[in-house]
Amino acid sequence: MVTGDAAYIKKMNRSLIMKYILQEGMISRAQLSKATALTRATISAQVSDLIDEELVIENDTAYNLVGRKPIMISIHAEAGYALGIDLELGKISFAVANLQGTIVETETISINTTLYSDILSLLLTSIRAFQERYASCRYGIVGVVIGIHGLVSTDEIIHYIPSFDWHNVSLKADLEKSLGLTVHLENNANLCAFAERTFFHHESDNLLCVTLYTGIGLGMMIKHSFFRGQNGFAGEIGHMIVVPDGISCNCGNKGCWEKYASEASVFQQLKKDRAATPLTYEQIQRLLAEGDPEVQAAMKHFIYYLSIGLNNIINIYNPEIIVLDSELLRIYPNALNEIQSHMHSRISHYREIKISSTGKQSCVLGASALAIQKFLQVPTLNLRRG
């Protein structure tokens, strides 16, 4: 039998109670007791503590059944706020979420530098501004999670960001030293996968999210946890070789998947074919509607090579759900059917392929949600998109 001291058991009970309050949105003490299998006395004592800490609040709700109207409990959304950040080439995106996961503020700043000292200074200035803005609530900014488009080790050291040419950078430590605030770093594809599981696919134990923007990343949620590999570098699926001796990649190999099936590869090909300035998503959508042959050919090429990689991923991981995070797929009619038409293997098994509905906000959405989970110390986080 596994045993523990009273403080440990109380902590585990609290975590379980918070999990169900978050999952249900509003729940009574009786429902909590039934869901958690904890006694009503334990529930009442824990809820009383949470109310004192201003982490939960009690609500009177409309009640049409016979008997006493129950008092419903919910997370005190405005007790604190989580800050999610997406650090990418050319811009930094910020999203502030309340403790129920609802985004209350977003901001994007353009950056024209890749120098570490400059970007560290920009991050410090911006985060301090958010701290001041939310200082009046009980817990203020409860935590910061930053999405990194590169390799992040298990101890949260930035091993490499190709677009910035950063190597072995201690961004977490530098920020925490100056801010006095908990900061976490996570690969951006992992955060996209976390957003999908947290807000849309609560029951999925095996979810993969493929991000297809400047490169290709793979976020993996296995049994509600990230799969990171030995050093934290798992998921660099964009450097899977799909064309031997193909296009050179900055990783040092040739024929990497992201040179054929990332959105960047589509935009580069269209710029070359049309000898013009890069197209926007809106222009591509219009040209597709008009039947432009070059744009249609580029999209067919994109989907063909995307499908090759997806076949490989499915056979390696046997996922339940695969979510594709791509604006081009969102604006391309019949994208999923065309992808499925290339999936011929009789041994590939998965339940569903979906296109993400969150757009480029998925990274900051996942980052803010992860900050909430770490602050509230719940084993799994199920939220509703507000």
Side-chain angles (χ1 to χ4, degrees):
M1 174 182 291
V2 177
T3 61
D5 60 24
Y8 176 77
I9 293 171
K10 183 177 180 179
K11 180 180 178 181
M12 296 301 293
N13 289 342
R14 176 190 175 108
S15 176
L16 186 61
I17 289 167
M18 291 294 280
K19 171 190 170 183
Y20 279 100
I21 296 174
L22 285 160
Q23 179 176 304
E24 299 302 322
M26 298 184 73
I27 190 170
S28 69
R29 283 174 168 80
Q31 290 168 331
L32 270 174
S33 180
K34 183 178 180 180
T36 61
L38 297 173
T39 67
R40 293 199 178 195
T42 298
I43 295 294
S44 291
Q46 288 272 4
V47 169
S48 179
D49 288 344
L50 291 169
I51 290 172
D52 289 343
E53 295 171 35
E54 297 183 28
L55 288 174
V56 303
I57 54 176
E58 294 180 307
N59 308 273
D60 289 325
T61 60
Y63 189 67
N64 298 321
L65 301 178
V66 176
R68 180 187 298 179
K69 180 169 64 174
I71 301 298
M72 306 300 285
I73 302 158
S74 63
I75 294 296
H76 185 187
E78 289 77 35
Y81 294 85
L83 178 58
I85 302 174
D86 184 6
L87 174 61
E88 56 182 321
L89 184 66
K91 66 179 181 179
I92 308 174
S93 302
F94 303 85
V96 179
N98 65 26
L99 294 185
Q100 291 180 351
T102 299
I103 300 296
V104 298
E105 181 182 1
T106 60
E107 181 180 319
T108 299
I109 60 174
S110 297
I111 53 175
N112 55 10
T113 179
T114 59
L115 288 177
Y116 178 71
S117 58
D118 291 346
I119 292 177
L120 175 62
S121 178
L122 286 169
L123 285 169
L124 286 170
T125 299
S126 295
I127 294 170
R128 284 177 179 136
F130 284 113
Q131 284 182 290
E132 292 176 8
R133 209 170 303 166
Y134 293 92
S136 61
C137 64
R138 171 71 182 263
Y139 294 99
I141 296 295
V142 301
V144 178
V145 173
I146 304 177
I148 302 298
H149 294 243
L151 301 177
V152 182
S153 66
T154 51
D155 55 0
E156 298 184 66
I157 302 294
I158 295 175
H159 178 68
Y160 180 45
I161 300 181
S163 56
F164 290 174
D165 196 29
W166 288 1
H167 300 264
N168 300 317
V169 173
S170 300
L171 178 62
K172 170 184 168 69
D174 290 342
L175 288 172
E176 289 183 338
K177 180 180 178 181
S178 297
L179 295 169
L181 185 68
T182 300
V183 177
H184 292 285
L185 307 185
E186 187 56 75
N187 175 266
N188 70 298
N190 279 346
L191 292 175
C192 293
F194 189 76
E196 292 293 335
R197 210 225 61 86
T198 297
F199 290 97
F200 303 104
H201 304 286
H202 295 169
E203 304 306 317
S204 177
D205 283 339
N206 292 278
L207 181 146
L208 306 181
C209 183
V210 184
T211 59
L212 296 160
Y213 295 107
T214 54
I216 299 181
L218 179 65
M220 294 172 278
M221 295 295 300
I222 310 297
K223 300 293 185 184
H224 309 302
S225 298
F226 293 122
F227 178 78
R228 294 189 175 92
Q230 180 177 350
N231 302 115
F233 305 150
E236 291 300 314
I237 203 72
H239 299 288
M240 167 178 59
I241 295 173
V242 296
V243 179
D245 295 320
I247 300 171
S248 295
C249 180
N250 58 11
C251 77
N253 280 322
K254 295 181 178 180
C256 291
W257 191 28
E258 66 180 41
K259 305 305 291 186
Y260 298 85
S262 65
E263 290 195 352
S265 71
V266 177
F267 283 108
Q268 289 167 5
Q269 186 61 48
L270 286 172
K271 181 181 179 182
K272 179 180 177 182
D273 290 344
R274 303 173 75 86
T277 56
L279 295 173
T280 64
Y281 289 111
E282 292 76 14
Q283 289 171 324
I284 289 177
Q285 188 171 25
R286 176 176 55 79
L287 290 167
L288 283 170
E290 294 172 356
D292 182 278
E294 289 175 341
V295 174
Q296 287 185 330
M299 289 301 297
K300 298 285 185 183
H301 181 273
F302 169 51
I303 284 178
Y304 172 73
Y305 280 102
L306 173 60
S307 302
I308 290 174
L310 291 178
N311 270 294
N312 292 340
I313 291 171
I314 289 166
N315 285 326
I316 293 170
Y317 291 105
N318 180 213
E320 181 182 3
I321 296 173
I322 302 176
V323 181
L324 306 177
D325 192 355
S326 163
E327 187 65 24
L328 286 180
L329 293 180
R330 279 187 284 274
I331 66 176
Y332 184 59
N334 211 35
L336 283 178
N337 286 338
E338 288 199 20
I339 291 170
Q340 295 283 5
S341 72
H342 295 293
M343 313 293 274
H344 304 304
S345 174
R346 294 178 181 176
I347 63 170
S348 294
H349 289 86
Y350 61 96
R351 195 188 84 196
E352 187 176 17
I353 297 178
K354 295 177 65 70
I355 296 173
S356 173
S357 61
T358 58
K360 289 192 172 183
Q361 195 181 33
S362 58
C363 180
V364 288
L365 190 66
S368 59
L370 185 59
I372 292 170
Q373 183 185 38
K374 289 181 178 296
F375 172 68
L376 296 179
Q377 297 182 347
V378 290
T380 58
L381 187 67
N382 295 331
L383 298 173
R384 302 179 185 195
R385 185 76 191 277

